[in-house]
Amino acid sequence: MEFISKKGKKIEIREIQEKDYLELRNFINSLVRENTYILKNRPIDKEGELNYVRRCLEEIKRKERVHLVAVYKNKIVGAAEIRRKKFKEKHVGVLGISVRKNYRNEGIGKALMSEVIKRSKKLGVKLVILDVFKVNKPAIALYRKLGFKKYAELPKALKHKGKYVSALSMYKWIG
Amino acid sequence: MVFFISKKGRKIEIRKIQENDWVGLRNLMNSLVKENAFILRDVPISKEEQIKNLKKRIEDMKKKKRVDLVAIYNGKLVANIYIRRKKFKEKHVGTLGVFVKKNYRNEGIGKALIKEALKHSKKIGIKLVVLEVFKVNKPAMILYKKLGFKKYGELPKALKHKGRYMNNVLMYKRLG
């Protein structure tokens, strides 16, 4: 699908493909370098990224995952995934989302989230959960706007830029 | 390796997992699945899966990515505990899971295992241990509280157990 961002950019949102791995690696490593509010703190190499993408594609085939990218002029500027849990948590999906630095605050994250949630619902996901750095206020504001509620807060859950920071956990029932 | 005498007078050995534990571990897990105890798994684990799973766990243990202990009574594996270290910015956090066979509960085995595993995980640099527990599993929650765990969240309808949605309680304990 396509949508026009707040800044007038024409963005395509689609499922990941194997050939995305190099561009996806560029994207992830740009976030690692920026040391933004993501868990990863070291870059990934080509082989690691290819293996990761292949594993994702297998999970997508087994209907255990939805994984979307936002593409602008052949460049990946955002990604969102929902991974379905197993066994007695099969109805629970864990959401992850990230947007490239100069593409934030123009609605790309919101569009990615709405789409990934819609598609996960089709797989039978009824409860979507996510974790967010407590200091990441714009993200928390977006999640709230989309109907997510806080259900947990873990003090010193993360070590970010040499400091311990708290993590919030949020959920949304979509069943 | 440590020994302790349970409340029922049984001499229990606590030691690290070994490659040949796959039989005992599989028996333990599948007995819990059959019982439909307060665990996440709801399908039995196959022999191949268990062997592969155990190999990975032993490798991770060597890399100090996890602590994994079993309780043995009369040569029989009756309980298991793990604390798995997270990655990246959560490297100081360990996730705990503990499993005790039906007829060996309420005699202090879980407690002894948790204490021992916390000690080991502290040694490998884990500073924060987290766990999740079915809200209806009161004995477990009481034990965790007694051992210093505090609740930090609750997820409604987190689990489907015996056809019903139920809540999960999240707890944490800081180590030294």
Side-chain angles (χ1 to χ4, degrees):
Chain A
M1 60 159 277
E2 271 178 4
F3 88 102
I4 308 294
S5 83
K6 278 187 214 161
K7 289 184 186 157
K9 290 170 185 152
K10 195 169 144 189
I11 310 278
E12 183 197 354
I13 292 181
R14 59 160 177 79
E15 284 266 0
I16 54 160
Q17 301 161 3
E18 187 167 306
K19 67 170 172 60
D20 286 331
Y21 83 96
L22 286 176
E23 193 33 56
L24 212 47
R25 176 176 172 244
N26 282 340
F27 168 56
I28 301 300
N29 286 347
S30 79
L31 300 174
V32 171
R33 263 195 312 273
E34 182 195 348
N35 198 0
T36 183
Y37 301 125
I38 56 164
L39 291 177
K40 214 179 240 305
N41 53 9
R42 52 188 149 87
I44 184 154
D45 59 25
K46 275 186 201 172
E47 201 196 342
E49 186 64 29
L50 181 58
N51 285 336
Y52 169 74
V53 170
R54 282 185 177 152
R55 243 181 300 129
C56 289
L57 292 172
E58 275 167 30
E59 287 176 17
I60 291 168
K61 249 188 240 161
R62 290 197 302 258
K63 298 190 188 296
E64 287 171 3
R65 176 187 274 268
V66 181
H67 204 137
L68 305 177
V69 285
V71 182
Y72 176 64
K73 290 187 174 168
N74 295 319
K75 190 171 169 180
I76 292 180
V77 297
E81 89 272 346
I82 290 182
R83 192 176 38 83
R84 211 164 63 148
K85 293 201 179 197
K86 288 179 179 172
F87 307 126
K88 293 179 189 173
E89 302 178 299
K90 223 177 286 178
H91 62 292
V92 184
V94 184
L95 185 143
I97 177 157
S98 42
V99 177
R100 205 183 260 261
K101 192 165 186 197
N102 294 319
Y103 296 83
R104 293 179 194 149
N105 305 312
E106 48 178 309
I108 298 174
K110 191 175 171 182
L112 273 170
M113 271 185 83
S114 307
E115 192 60 25
V116 84
I117 289 173
K118 205 165 78 185
R119 295 194 192 191
S120 73
K121 198 172 167 174
K122 282 188 197 146
L123 298 188
V125 170
K126 293 189 183 336
L127 178 62
V128 178
I129 58 172
L130 59 85
D131 288 335
V132 55
F133 287 53
K134 198 189 176 183
V135 284
N136 191 358
K137 300 298 176 196
I140 296 171
L142 170 62
Y143 302 148
R144 284 220 182 98
K145 218 186 283 174
L146 290 171
F148 282 81
K149 286 188 196 118
K150 174 179 161 179
Y151 71 89
E153 176 171 344
L154 182 58
K156 297 188 187 174
L158 307 146
K159 200 168 187 179
H160 179 69
K161 298 183 179 171
K163 264 189 197 162
Y164 286 114
V165 295
S166 300
L168 296 192
S169 301
M170 304 181 85
Y171 75 98
K172 182 181 177 170
W173 185 263
I174 61 166
Chain B
M1 194 199 296
V2 293
F3 285 95
F4 86 102
I5 307 296
S6 82
K7 278 187 212 160
K8 289 184 187 158
R10 289 166 169 152
K11 190 178 170 194
I12 310 281
E13 176 195 349
I14 295 180
R15 61 157 174 80
K16 288 182 182 173
I17 48 163
Q18 305 165 355
E19 278 214 29
N20 59 7
D21 283 331
W22 71 265
V23 180
L25 278 172
R26 181 165 175 243
N27 283 339
L28 168 65
M29 282 321 291
N30 287 348
S31 77
L32 298 176
V33 170
K34 215 178 285 168
E35 180 196 344
N36 201 355
F38 297 125
I39 57 163
L40 293 178
R41 182 175 268 279
D42 54 6
V43 287
I45 183 163
S46 71
K47 180 181 162 182
E48 294 71 29
E49 227 180 319
Q50 183 69 73
I51 291 174
K52 205 172 129 192
N53 162 282
L54 181 57
K55 266 195 189 135
K56 174 87 169 65
R57 283 160 64 171
I58 291 171
E59 271 171 37
D60 285 350
M61 199 166 60
K62 282 183 192 153
K63 287 187 247 173
K64 299 193 193 286
K65 284 186 192 167
R66 79 188 279 140
V67 172
D68 212 323
L69 307 173
V70 287
I72 309 287
Y73 172 65
N74 269 348
K76 189 174 156 191
L77 199 158
V78 296
N80 170 230
I81 187 166
Y82 70 80
I83 294 179
R84 197 182 52 219
R85 185 203 285 282
K86 294 199 179 195
K87 287 180 183 173
F88 307 121
K89 295 182 188 172
E90 301 178 300
K91 221 181 286 178
H92 61 292
V93 184
T95 310
L96 182 148
V98 58
F99 312 93
V100 181
K101 211 168 199 155
K102 193 166 185 194
N103 295 319
Y104 295 84
R105 291 180 198 147
N106 305 312
E107 51 176 308
I109 298 175
K111 189 175 173 181
L113 274 175
I114 296 173
K115 279 187 173 173
E116 194 62 23
L118 291 176
K119 219 160 58 187
H120 284 250
S121 61
K122 197 177 166 177
K123 274 189 207 152
I124 61 169
I126 290 173
K127 294 186 169 23
L128 178 61
V129 177
V130 295
L131 60 82
E132 291 181 19
V133 53
F134 288 42
K135 199 188 179 184
V136 288
N137 190 358
K138 301 294 176 200
M141 274 193 350
I142 290 168
L143 172 61
Y144 299 144
K145 275 191 193 140
K146 220 187 280 176
L147 290 169
F149 284 85
K150 284 188 197 118
K151 177 175 169 178
Y152 71 92
E154 178 171 340
L155 180 58
K157 299 188 187 173
L159 308 147
K160 201 168 185 177
H161 178 72
K162 298 184 180 172
R164 272 201 195 149
Y165 286 117
M166 43 184 74
N167 295 5
N168 224 355
V169 170
L170 291 78
M171 305 182 86
Y172 77 98
K173 180 183 166 82
R174 216 163 282 291
L175 305 179

